[in-house]
Amino acid sequence: MYKAIKRVGASISVSLTLVIGFGVTALLFLATCKLEDDAFNLDFERRALLRVTTLQRGLEEAVQVLTVINRLFATVDNPTREQFHTFTAPLIEKYSHVQAFSFQRFVTRGERAGFENAMQARYPGFGISALVEGKTVPSPIRERYLVVDYLEPLQGNRPALGLDMSANATVMQALQQAIDSGKPVSTGAFRLAQASTNERGLLVLMPVYRAGMPLDTLAQRQAAVIGDTTAVFHARVLLQRIFSAVGPLRREDVDVSVYIGEHADPADLVYRSDSTAAKTLLPSWLGYRKPVRIRRTFNIAGQPWHLEAKSAPIPLTANHSSSLLILGAGTLLTLLAAAYLYTLSMRSRRIQRTVDERTAELRLTNVLLKEDIQARQQAEHALQLRQRAIEASANAIIIMQATAPDYPIEYVNPAFERITGYSAGEVIGHSIRLLESDNADGHAHGFEEIWSAMREQREGNVVLRNHNKSGAEVWNDLYIAPVKSEQGTVTHFVAALYDITSMKRYEAELEFQANRDVLTGLVNRNMLRKVLEEAMAYAERYQRSLWVVFVDLDRFKFVNDTLGHKAGDLLLKTIAGRLRAAVRDTDTIARLGSDEFVIVMSEYTGIGLDTRHLHRIQEAVAAPMTIEGHTFFPTCSIGVAAYPDDGREAEVLVKHADIAMYRAKQSGRDNYQFYTPAMNAQALERLRIEGDLRIALERNEFLLHYQPKINLRSGRIVGMEALIRWNHPELGMVSPARFISLAEETGLILPIGSWVIRTACAQARAWQEAGLGNLRVSVNLSVRQFVQKDLVSSIAKVLQETGLDADFLELELTESLVMTDVEHAIGILRELKDLGVHLSIDDFGTGYSSLSYLKKFPIDVLKIDKSFVRDITLDADDAAITVSIISLAHSLKLHVIAEGVETEEQLSYLRQHGCDEMQGYLFSPPVPAERFAELLQEKNDTLVTTLEFSAR
């Protein structure tokens, strides 16, 4: 009965195993499929929305380009073709997705003959034409024509020159909408005259009005319109280049279709991606995932656009690998488990039969064994005690047979497995060479000592460096001793293995900390001296060159001050990795501290030293990097000292390389300099200036000069810029170029800047009380001043103490200063505006301002850099940039000041194009306060006369 119950129980166990295994497998398979589907859908939606955002931004940028062109006609009355070509050439080069820029002029029926004759002088065979069934033919007689007059570039667009657009209802309707709204308006898609195929394009138009005409009402704008500026786009090329900004679509990626209209009308289709469906041998209802669709409609320049994104059909097997693997593995494991249970049940039956047979035999033998058991109990108890002690030992115990040559292992305790990773079953019967085969790095002499001790049947002790079974490095202290029988013969060897890995690692860590930089892992200052002395000895022995390269990161302190030391540490580790990749394996890199690195470059046979190594270091450091969401473009200054020309001692070479590095920083940063003896004298002079600079404020050696700002309409002085000067008791008048950058580095710029603001405000208030006019004084802010936490409160305190109204103080900031951390800068600027002071962007056009950020800055004034003003009458590019800055500023309701005006021609050009104010040597250099007061008392008569003369 008992056997029957066990047989039935075994069958039920196998059946339950199959049912449970297949059930769990099915649930896991379905759950994993669902997760994979959800992941795919989320990823598709992200990639599809990326295309939508890219398309919308690209189209908005295309419309913005036209606005820039239209500003030329709003700023310059009736510009010439050469001006139009000069202005549009850089835009065409930058915005390659634009087919053409044009100016379309209204021509009446009576003006047609004269217009065609004038154009034929420039373009032989010119005539007003119309587009009929894709071909250009002479335009029929009309009362008024809308003719393509200016067209850039002509190459590839010549068929459109002279084309009459008045018969195109789509174009005229869009133009009328533009006149009504005063904004750019896009047409729908239609066949372009310059298109070689039936593919369509579109136009974005903005009206051009006659200069001086009122534009307040719709009737006035319709009466004043003389034509329009147009941006021409080939629809397919435009969309292809916009989408290329996020990279090409993969075969399994998104299928994108774009329509010019509100709906997916096949007649309005202008773009479709070339993604093709994946192929599969399975039927479509089983082998493909159902496509996911996303539809978006948005409006650009009054024209609706419709985009549809659909996931390409993907085989079920393409991204269900995990679920299919679970299904296969679960099925296999279920079958194996069932087979295993069945095997166990069969084995149990055989064992039971054997047990029954042996039981009878054991009952007879049991009586005989009782006496023997009692005799052995005491001996077994002693052996068990010794066995438990060995088993509990924290050190590995190994017992080996004294059988040469392999001396096989007979026993190992549990500690052996913990230390080496090998189980008893893996090593018993095998030689101890098992450990020797994993020996790490030439410590085989330790094992030779073991073999020698066993051959000579004596004790031995060695320290071994091995790897355990998992590959981890371990250090062991091994003691071995022979075990003799009662007859005195050596039958076994016992070995005790002590794990000393922690002690060795601690020793290595102490050595690393003594010779390596903890943050970057590079050689530290202590180790550098030894490395450099060895390199110098090698160079001396083989008469070869040796360079000591001192690398210092530019503006590293700014990263620490703005983002914190954690970001600074991450930057240093990244730079250390880049330096390792940029130098040769034979070169040594050390970190001296903060952002200073030293590279020892030795010349070896066939490997010379040249400046390409330095360029490679600069390029490696200058690669952009992103830290905490902020993108940085780091640069470095490099100083080089050569052995033996620049010194024969390690400390001297490093010192001279450091001096050369400072010369590189003084030369504008991001360059390298080789040490010369003259640099040492300059370094000493710099040290002297730094020491004198620290006490210059206490000795009242600083003074302010003021350069007047002139209103170009009235010719009157309306303000002044305060500029610091240092009257050194021994060196005389020291140029700001010699001490401002040093003050920035040492932090002295903060008390000096505070003194400048207070002195300038007090002087402006004193002139007001003397009846010399309410003039606005402008003061430059440095980077360190701008990022100090109490900037706004300190300026408010100065205004309160000096009695100067905030409206008469203007703070000048550079483009690079406000663009370093835009969001933080906007917050500070708004606080300053709330205080009531005026804000200006200095040196505008030389930095990297973005128009999208510029409109967010609460600024009042743009200051055109003197580098553009210098050649404004000679260089067309400088002239175009200056006109654009003036037009842009006035569009944003900002004031414009030009600095560095030195000639009457420059003055005349600036006045002609609407610049508001200027300053420069043409009228006055920066002068002391006493001389500036005299200028104010002279009533500016000379300035007014000069302005009147320049106007003529």
Side-chain angles (χ1 to χ4, degrees):
M1 183 66 180
Y2 172 75
K3 294 180 179 179
I5 292 175
K6 290 191 64 177
R7 192 174 295 112
V8 172
S11 300
I12 293 175
S13 299
V14 173
S15 300
L16 284 176
T17 300
L18 291 173
V19 171
I20 294 173
F22 287 133
V24 172
T25 300
L27 289 176
L28 289 176
F29 172 73
L30 294 176
T32 307
C33 283
K34 180 64 168 59
L35 291 175
E36 290 173 329
D37 289 341
D38 291 345
F40 173 82
N41 292 339
L42 286 175
D43 181 65
F44 165 75
E45 183 174 355
R46 176 188 61 78
R47 290 183 283 114
L49 291 179
L50 177 62
R51 264 64 183 184
V52 174
T53 303
T54 302
L55 173 60
Q56 190 170 1
R57 289 181 178 174
L59 292 174
E60 289 174 350
E61 180 181 291
V63 173
Q64 188 177 13
V65 173
L66 177 62
T67 305
V68 175
I69 297 295
N70 192 264
R71 292 302 304 171
L72 173 65
F73 287 83
T75 305
V76 181
D77 185 18
N78 195 19
T80 64
R81 295 180 187 277
E82 289 70 20
Q83 290 176 322
F84 186 78
H85 170 76
T86 302
F87 193 82
T88 57
L91 295 176
I92 292 172
E93 182 177 356
K94 180 176 181 180
Y95 301 101
S96 59
H97 53 271
V98 179
Q99 177 74 17
F101 292 117
S102 68
F103 167 58
Q104 300 179 164
R105 184 191 302 275
F106 280 116
V107 178
T108 64
R109 178 178 179 179
E111 296 171 340
R112 175 173 179 172
F115 176 76
E116 288 181 334
N117 290 335
M119 292 293 287
Q120 286 174 0
R122 180 182 290 268
Y123 306 107
F126 174 86
I128 299 178
S129 59
L131 186 65
V132 179
E133 295 181 355
K135 298 181 179 180
T136 55
V137 298
S139 177
I141 301 300
R142 302 181 189 276
E143 290 302 320
R144 191 170 71 163
Y145 307 89
L146 181 60
V147 183
V148 178
D149 189 359
Y150 294 2
L151 183 62
E152 293 292 339
L154 277 177
Q155 184 176 2
N157 297 290
R158 185 61 180 266
L161 183 64
L163 185 65
D164 175 23
M165 306 301 294
S166 63
N168 191 319
T170 300
V171 174
M172 297 306 293
Q173 181 181 1
L175 179 58
Q176 185 59 45
Q177 292 177 2
I179 296 173
D180 293 345
S181 64
K183 299 179 180 179
V185 174
S186 172
T187 68
F190 63 91
R191 169 72 182 274
L192 297 176
Q194 57 265 56
S196 59
T197 64
N198 289 327
E199 292 188 80
R200 296 171 295 172
L202 68 149
L203 309 180
V204 181
L205 307 96
M206 281 192 72
V208 176
Y209 301 101
R210 187 173 291 106
M213 296 291 289
L215 304 174
D216 298 328
T217 66
L218 175 60
Q220 290 174 339
R221 290 196 297 273
Q222 289 178 339
V225 68
I226 62 173
D228 64 82
T229 54
T230 306
V232 184
F233 302 95
H234 190 294
R236 179 179 57 79
V237 174
L238 172 65
L239 296 174
Q240 282 180 343
R241 292 179 179 173
I242 289 176
F243 286 138
S244 66
V246 293
L249 297 176
R250 303 189 304 272
R251 177 185 173 190
E252 69 277 10
D253 209 329
V254 185
D255 285 332
V256 178
S257 299
V258 182
Y259 305 83
I260 299 184
E262 296 182 353
H263 307 289
D265 189 344
D268 295 332
L269 179 67
V270 294
Y271 175 81
R272 174 168 288 165
S273 62
D274 296 330
S275 177
T276 57
K279 298 184 181 299
T280 181
L281 298 177
L282 298 176
S284 60
W285 60 269
L286 180 62
Y288 289 107
R289 171 193 303 282
K290 182 179 179 180
V292 182
R293 295 177 180 271
I294 287 182
R295 297 178 175 88
R296 291 291 186 275
T297 301
F298 48 90
N299 191 288
I300 299 296
Q303 175 63 45
W305 290 72
H306 182 78
L307 181 143
E308 289 192 359
K310 182 182 70 173
S311 65
I314 298 179
L316 184 64
T317 57
N319 65 335
H320 282 82
S321 57
S322 298
S323 55
L324 293 175
L325 178 62
I326 289 174
L327 179 62
T331 301
L332 179 61
L333 290 175
T334 300
L335 294 175
L336 290 175
Y340 179 71
L341 287 177
Y342 180 77
T343 302
L344 286 180
S345 66
M346 296 301 295
R347 181 182 178 187
S348 177
R349 295 176 191 175
R350 290 194 300 270
I351 292 174
Q352 186 60 45
R353 287 198 302 268
T354 305
V355 168
D356 293 341
E357 294 173 357
R358 299 293 184 221
T359 299
E361 297 177 2
L362 289 174
R363 288 173 181 171
L364 297 175
T365 310
N366 187 44
V367 177
L368 301 175
L369 289 177
K370 285 183 180 180
E371 295 180 0
D372 186 51
I373 288 174
Q374 292 175 352
R376 295 176 178 270
Q377 281 180 346
Q378 293 182 349
E380 289 179 358
H381 179 73
L383 290 174
Q384 289 174 358
L385 179 61
R386 295 182 179 89
Q387 181 67 25
R388 286 195 299 270
I390 294 175
E391 296 285 335
S393 174
N395 299 313
I397 304 298
I398 310 170
I399 299 177
M400 298 171 288
Q401 298 176 6
T403 305
D406 292 331
Y407 305 98
I409 297 173
E410 192 172 288
Y411 168 82
V412 294
N413 67 343
F416 177 86
E417 181 175 355
R418 175 177 55 80
I419 294 174
T420 66
Y422 292 99
S423 65
E426 291 177 300
V427 298
I428 291 178
H430 295 279
S431 172
I432 199 173
R433 293 183 187 276
L434 172 73
L435 300 179
E436 181 182 10
S437 62
D438 288 339
N439 192 36
D441 56 355
H443 284 263
H445 63 278
F447 278 95
E448 288 299 327
E449 171 63 21
I450 294 175
W451 301 126
S452 176
M454 287 192 293
R455 284 194 299 268
E456 299 173 6
Q457 298 185 346
R458 60 175 173 82
E459 296 181 355
N461 174 225
V462 293
V463 175
L464 301 174
R465 178 183 177 186
N466 295 330
H467 287 81
N468 59 19
K469 183 179 179 181
S470 63
E473 182 183 78
V474 293
W475 285 87
N476 298 314
D477 195 353
L478 179 64
Y479 290 87
I480 190 169
V483 178
K484 298 182 179 179
S485 65
E486 296 178 354
Q487 292 77 22
T489 304
V490 176
T491 59
H492 293 81
F493 288 95
V494 61
L497 196 66
Y498 299 92
D499 186 359
I500 59 172
T501 305
S502 298
M503 182 182 68
K504 286 293 186 179
R505 287 177 180 172
Y506 180 69
E507 292 177 355
E509 183 178 353
L510 291 178
E511 182 181 359
F512 180 87
Q513 292 179 353
N515 298 317
R516 294 282 178 172
D517 176 57
V518 178
L519 177 64
T520 62
L522 300 176
V523 170
N524 63 9
R525 186 186 297 270
N526 296 331
M527 190 65 180
L528 174 63
R529 180 185 181 90
K530 178 180 179 182
V531 171
L532 185 53
E533 288 177 348
E534 292 176 354
M536 291 165 57
Y538 176 88
E540 181 70 23
R541 184 181 305 114
Y542 296 102
Q543 296 298 305
R544 301 194 183 280
S545 298
L546 171 67
W547 282 357
V548 176
V549 181
F550 201 106
V551 181
D552 186 90
L553 301 183
D554 297 330
R555 301 180 182 90
F556 171 73
K557 190 176 186 305
F558 179 76
V559 178
N560 270 346
D561 292 342
T562 54
L563 298 183
H565 291 282
K566 182 178 179 181
D569 289 345
L570 180 58
L571 174 63
L572 290 174
K573 289 192 286 187
T574 303
I575 293 299
R578 291 181 176 183
L579 291 177
R580 289 192 191 97
V583 302
R584 304 167 301 177
D585 294 339
T586 55
D587 299 332
T588 300
I589 310 174
R591 180 183 176 222
L592 297 188
S594 185
D595 60 337
E596 297 178 339
F597 300 86
V598 171
I599 304 174
V600 179
M601 291 185 171
S602 300
E603 179 182 345
Y604 295 91
T605 305
I607 306 178
L609 293 174
D610 58 48
T611 55
R612 286 177 296 181
H613 299 308
L614 305 179
H615 287 295
R616 189 161 56 248
I617 294 172
Q618 287 183 301
E619 292 171 357
V621 172
M625 68 176 66
T626 301
I627 300 176
E628 297 183 359
H630 301 273
T631 301
F632 293 91
F633 298 85
T635 59
C636 64
S637 299
I638 299 176
V640 185
Y643 174 85
D645 297 337
D646 299 331
R648 291 183 170 272
E649 296 181 3
E651 293 181 357
V652 173
L653 284 174
V654 174
K655 172 186 173 183
H656 288 172
D658 189 10
I659 292 174
M661 181 274 294
Y662 272 105
R663 170 53 63 89
K665 283 190 176 291
Q666 293 172 357
S667 301
R669 296 186 174 91
D670 193 17
N671 68 92
Y672 61 86
Q673 295 286 335
F674 283 85
Y675 172 80
T676 60
M679 292 182 182
N680 200 25
Q682 293 174 357
L684 293 176
E685 180 188 3
R686 181 180 184 276
L687 186 62
R688 175 190 177 186
I689 291 178
E690 180 180 347
D692 293 344
L693 189 61
R694 294 184 181 276
I695 58 177
L697 271 178
E698 300 175 5
R699 296 180 177 180
N700 296 320
E701 295 175 0
F702 290 118
L703 69 156
L704 292 183
H705 284 192
Y706 299 88
Q707 187 172 34
K709 294 183 178 180
I710 312 302
N711 186 294
L712 292 182
R713 294 182 180 86
S714 65
R716 302 292 181 181
I717 297 177
V718 293
M720 57 280 185
E721 181 178 2
L723 301 168
I724 191 171
R725 297 293 185 267
W726 182 12
N727 189 9
H728 194 279
E730 298 178 8
L731 301 178
M733 197 66 71
V734 180
S735 169
R738 294 179 63 184
F739 68 87
I740 290 297
S741 61
L742 185 59
E744 286 274 6
E745 294 177 17
T746 59
L748 294 173
I749 195 67
L750 295 178
I752 293 175
S754 177
W755 177 87
V756 170
I757 294 176
R758 180 177 296 276
T759 304
C761 290
Q763 183 64 72
R765 179 58 182 163
W767 283 331
Q768 290 178 359
E769 293 176 347
L772 297 180
N774 295 328
L775 304 178
R776 182 176 293 121
V777 62
S778 62
V779 179
N780 291 280
L781 278 187
S782 69
V783 176
R784 288 206 174 203
Q785 287 178 278
F786 189 70
V787 299
Q788 64 179 335
K789 294 182 179 180
D790 61 343
L791 172 65
V792 179
S793 60
S794 64
I795 292 177
K797 182 178 179 181
V798 168
L799 292 173
Q800 180 181 4
E801 293 177 354
T802 60
L804 182 67
D805 190 281
D807 187 55
F808 298 111
L809 174 61
E810 180 177 300
L811 301 178
E812 295 189 6
L813 309 99
T814 63
E815 283 185 283
S816 57
L817 185 150
V818 296
M819 289 300 295
T820 302
D821 187 345
V822 174
E823 297 303 326
H824 180 66
I826 290 176
I828 297 178
L829 293 177
R830 286 176 178 169
E831 292 181 14
L832 291 172
K833 283 300 296 179
D834 293 340
L835 190 62
V837 302
H838 283 242
L839 301 174
S840 69
I841 298 296
D842 195 9
D843 302 335
F844 184 77
T846 62
Y848 46 87
S849 283
S850 167
L851 294 180
S852 63
Y853 284 122
L854 185 60
K855 66 181 182 181
K856 296 181 181 179
F857 292 145
I859 60 176
D860 305 287
V861 180
L862 287 184
K863 197 169 186 181
I864 304 175
D865 186 66
K866 60 185 177 182
S867 62
F868 299 125
V869 176
R870 183 187 306 115
D871 297 326
I872 197 173
T873 59
L874 305 175
D875 191 320
D877 291 338
D878 285 347
I881 291 173
T882 303
V883 172
S884 298
I885 293 175
I886 295 173
S887 175
L888 172 64
H890 287 168
S891 299
L892 296 175
K893 296 181 175 53
L894 302 178
H895 216 57
V896 185
I897 299 177
E899 64 177 353
V901 178
E902 299 180 355
T903 67
E904 294 182 358
E905 291 79 5
Q906 295 170 351
L907 172 63
S908 177
Y909 189 91
L910 292 170
R911 288 195 64 191
Q912 179 184 353
H913 291 87
C915 185
D916 300 306
E917 297 178 13
M918 57 74 65
Q919 62 185 93
Y921 277 52
L922 176 62
F923 297 107
S924 173
V927 295
E930 298 79 10
R931 174 56 185 154
F932 191 83
E934 295 175 2
L935 289 177
L936 295 177
Q937 293 170 349
E938 291 172 0
K939 304 297 185 181
N940 302 321
D941 293 337
T942 303
L943 303 178
V944 174
T945 302
T946 304
L947 283 171
E948 291 176 351
F949 177 79
S950 66
R952 293 195 295 268

